[in-house]
Amino acid sequence: MSFSFGGGLNMGPRGALESHGEGDGTGRVFDRRVTLRLLGYLRPYTRQMLGAFAMMLIVSALTLAIPYLTKIVIDQYITNGDLRGLSRLALLLGGALFGIYLASSAQQYLLTWVGQRILMTLRNQLFDHLQRLSLGYHDTHIVGVTISRVMSDVGVINELLSEGLITLAGDILLLFGIVGVMVSMSPHLALFAFSVVPLMVLMTLWFSRRARIAFRQTRSSTAAVIGDLAEDLSGMRVIQAFAQEGASEERFDKVNSANRDAFVNAMSLSLTFLPGVEFLGILATAVVLWAGGRAVATETLTLGVVVAFISYVGRFFQPIQELSQLYNTLQTAMAGGERVLELLDTIPDVQDQPAAPDMPSIRGEIVLNNVSFAYRGTHTVLHNVDLHIAPGQTIALVGPTGAGKTSIANLIARFYEVTEGNVCIDGVDVRSVNQPSLRQQMGLVPQDPFLFAGAIADNIRFGCPDASEEAVIAAAKAANAHEFISAMPEGYATRVLEGGINLSLGQRQLLCIARAILADPRILILDEATASVDTITEALIQEALARLLKGRTAVVIAHRLSTITNADLICVLEGGHIVERGTHTELLALGGLYRDLYERQFMQNNGFSKASERV
Ligand code: UTP
Ligand code: MG
C-alpha cells in the first residue's frame, strides 16, 4: 500500500473553500458512524471478502513458517549432514514460497474485483442522487467539487474498504504472529530483539502527528491547483481578452509552488521515517546477531534459532512501516467517506410527496396565487405575485434585469419551491404531483440554450428519443433551423461539440426551439429566446416562435419588447413585484414603466439605424 497523495480535489476556484462539507471533515482517523456505513458497502461481497481474508491468513502463516523451516534446515539437516532431509525441506520451502505467490495473487484479484464493484455502486448512487438534487443544490456547488466527490473521494473509500482493511488485519496478525513465534523460540533473544521497540514507538508517534498535518496540506494544495486550473481554463476567453495571462500565471505559480512545498515537506517526513524504521530493523538485527552469536558460542541457543530470528526481525518492521502508511489512507478515506455520505444524505429542496400522482394531461391554465419566493431562503426576489394565464394564452414577462422574470419561469416548472402562496396548473398545485410528469408536459427554451455533445438530430430529439427522422426534420423546419442544418457538412448527423461551441448562439436557440416543437408540450416557457442575435436570425426566431406558440399556453420572457407586442397579456416586473399589466396598447397608454422601457428601446433602435445610415 502506498501513500495517497492528493486524496481529495475538494476545493473551489482559486482554492477558496466552499462553505460546507469541505476540508478534511473532522480530521479524525476513525469515525464510527462513517465506518459502519461504509462497511455496509462490503455486505454483498461477504463471500469474496472472506475468501480474501482466508488468502491473507495463508500468506501470513506461510510468511511466518519460512524462517521456522530455515531453522529446521540448519539445526536438523545441515548440522547433521542429512542431505535427503535437506532436499525435502528445500522443496517444502519452495512450495511455501509458491503458495505465498498463489495466495497473494488470489487475494489481490478478489480485492480488486470487490473494490471495483464498490466503486461502481458508489458512483452510480452518487450520480442518481445528483440527478435528483434540485437546481438549488447545483446552483450553490462548484462542478469541480462535485466531480471530485464522484471520482477521487470514492476512490479513497474503495482503497480503504478493499485493500486497506485486509492489509490492516494482515499486518496486525503478522506482528502478533512474529512476536509469538519469537517468544516461544527464545524469550531471552526476543527481549534483545524488542529492545528497539520503545524507540520505534516514539518515532511512529512523532511521525504520525506530523504526517497528519503534512498530508492534509498536500491534499488541500493539490485541490487548490486543480481549482485554479479549472477556473482559468473555463475563463480563458476573458483572461485573454483582458490580457491578464501574466496575473493568471503568477496566481497559478503561487498555488503550484505551495503544492510543491507541501509535497516536498510530506516526502521528507516519509523519507526520514521510512529509512528510520529500516535503520531500527538493522539495529535490531545487529543486536540479535550479537546476543544470539554469544548464545550460540556458549551453546545455549542453536545457530538455526539465531538465523530464524534475524529473518523474523527483518519481517517484523515491514508491517510497522505499512501500518504507519495505512494511517494516512485511513484518514483520507474517513474524510472522503464523510463527504460522500454527506452528499448522499443531501435532501433535494424540491421533493415529491411519497407516491405523488402523475400530473393529469395538461389543458394549459397557469395560476400563481400570492406567490413569494426567495433563493436559498435569504432575500425575497418575488413578492406576492398573482397571475392568471388562461389555456392557449401567450403572456409576456418584461422588466429590468434581475426583476424576477426567470424566477417566475423556474417556479412554474417547479425547479424551486415557492416560499409562500402556490402555483397551480389546471387547478392542480404543482407540489402535489411528481416532477417528471409535470415537466414532461412543459417545453422550456432556456435563457442559455444548452446543447449536448452529439449529433444535431439527437439534440433535437432529446426530449423524445424515439422520434423519427422525419419528425426531427419537420420540427427543424418549423423552427427555421432546417436551412442552416442542411448547409452543415454532415447535415443532421453533424456533431455538436461540448456546450455547442461549434454553433452560433442564434443557431443554438433555433435548435432549442426545434427541440421544444418536437416535444409538442401544452405549456411553453421561452426565456429571452431572442436576446443577442442579429436581426435576420431574430426574424427567423420570431417566425418559428409564432408557429410554436399557436394553440399553446406560453410564457415568453423577452428583453426586446418588439417581439411581444402581440401577447395577450404583458406583465411588467420590477424588483419582484408585478407593477403593470395589460396589452401592449393599454400599457403604452398607461404611460408607466412599460412605456418608458419601450420608448427607450425604440429610440435606441432608431439611434442605431441612424448611425448605420451615416456609415
Ligand atoms: P432572475 O433571474 O429572476 O432575474 O433573478 P431576471 O428578471 O430573469 O433577470 P434577467 O433579465 O434574466 O437578467 C431575480 C433575482 O434573483 C436573484 C438575482 O440576484 C436577482 O436579483 N437570484 C437569481 C438569486 O439569488 N439566485 C439565483 O440563482 C438566481
Ligand atoms: Mg432571466
Side-chain angles (χ1 to χ4, degrees), residues 253-491:
D253 184 63
K254 217 157 102 191
V255 286
N256 208 9
S257 36
N259 187 232
R260 173 203 58 205
D261 293 344
F263 265 79
V264 170
N265 187 18
M267 281 315 281
S268 40
L269 257 183
S270 307
L271 292 180
T272 35
F273 178 71
L274 297 180
V277 174
E278 232 149 77
F279 168 74
L280 286 182
I282 294 166
L283 193 65
T285 311
V287 171
V288 165
L289 207 57
W290 174 76
R294 287 168 68 103
V296 173
T298 55
E299 297 198 353
T300 40
L301 273 184
T302 61
L303 183 61
V305 170
V306 177
V307 172
F309 254 74
I310 289 171
S311 180
Y312 279 127
V313 168
R315 270 154 227 253
F316 181 72
F317 289 91
Q318 187 197 335
I320 292 185
Q321 275 185 349
E322 273 184 7
L323 284 174
S324 70
Q325 294 175 7
L326 209 58
Y327 184 86
N328 178 49
T329 309
L330 207 65
Q331 195 192 347
T332 317
M334 281 302 146
E338 213 173 290
R339 289 193 291 257
V340 165
L341 293 179
E342 186 190 270
L343 173 51
L344 282 175
D345 290 346
T346 307
I347 299 166
D349 304 330
V350 180
Q351 225 184 350
D352 293 335
Q353 304 289 337
D358 281 355
M359 178 76 201
S361 189
I362 290 181
R363 276 186 307 114
E365 183 202 46
I366 306 173
V367 178
L368 275 72
N369 288 316
N370 196 28
V371 165
S372 295
F373 173 64
Y375 287 99
R376 296 172 291 282
T378 47
H379 75 289
T380 307
V381 298
L382 289 177
H383 306 268
N384 312 95
V385 172
D386 279 306
L387 192 61
H388 180 263
I389 311 169
Q393 259 192 343
T394 295
I395 77 130
L397 297 175
V398 300
T401 184
K405 305 181 293 292
T406 302
S407 305
I408 289 187
N410 283 337
L411 291 180
I412 295 175
R414 203 182 163 211
F415 285 125
Y416 299 84
E417 215 86 276
V418 293
T419 320
E420 252 176 74
N422 58 53
V423 176
C424 293
I425 291 177
D426 295 346
V428 178
D429 190 324
V430 291
R431 284 171 296 189
S432 66
V433 293
N434 67 65
Q435 297 167 60
S437 71
L438 177 71
R439 296 199 194 115
Q440 263 160 20
Q441 302 188 59
M442 284 190 186
L444 179 76
V445 179
Q447 193 158 7
D448 174 23
F450 186 87
L451 297 176
F452 293 91
I456 285 187
D458 292 335
N459 263 294
I460 295 178
R461 60 162 78 90
F462 185 73
C464 338
D466 301 327
S468 67
E469 198 69 30
E470 293 75 50
V472 168
I473 294 174
K477 278 185 175 154
N480 273 339
H482 180 71
E483 201 173 325
F484 90 82
I485 298 173
S486 312
M488 302 205 61
E490 290 169 68

Side-chain angles (χ1 to χ4, degrees), residues 524-593:
L524 250 179
I525 300 168
L526 299 160
D527 201 347
E528 291 184 326
T530 55
S532 60
V533 293
D534 63 273
T535 37
I536 296 175
T537 316
E538 189 189 341
L540 288 179
I541 294 176
Q542 278 307 310
E543 235 179 82
L545 282 188
R547 239 170 282 168
L548 179 58
L549 299 187
K550 219 158 144 195
R552 305 174 206 277
T553 309
V555 178
V556 181
I557 299 169
H559 275 169
R560 301 187 184 205
L561 303 185
S562 56
T563 62
I564 43 105
T565 46
N566 295 331
D568 298 309
L569 177 72
I570 298 171
C571 294
V572 186
L573 272 154
E574 194 182 24
H577 296 272
I578 296 186
V579 287
E580 289 169 20
R581 59 180 89 203
T583 61
H584 176 68
T585 346
E586 284 166 7
L587 288 177
L588 276 189
L590 194 70
L593 181 59

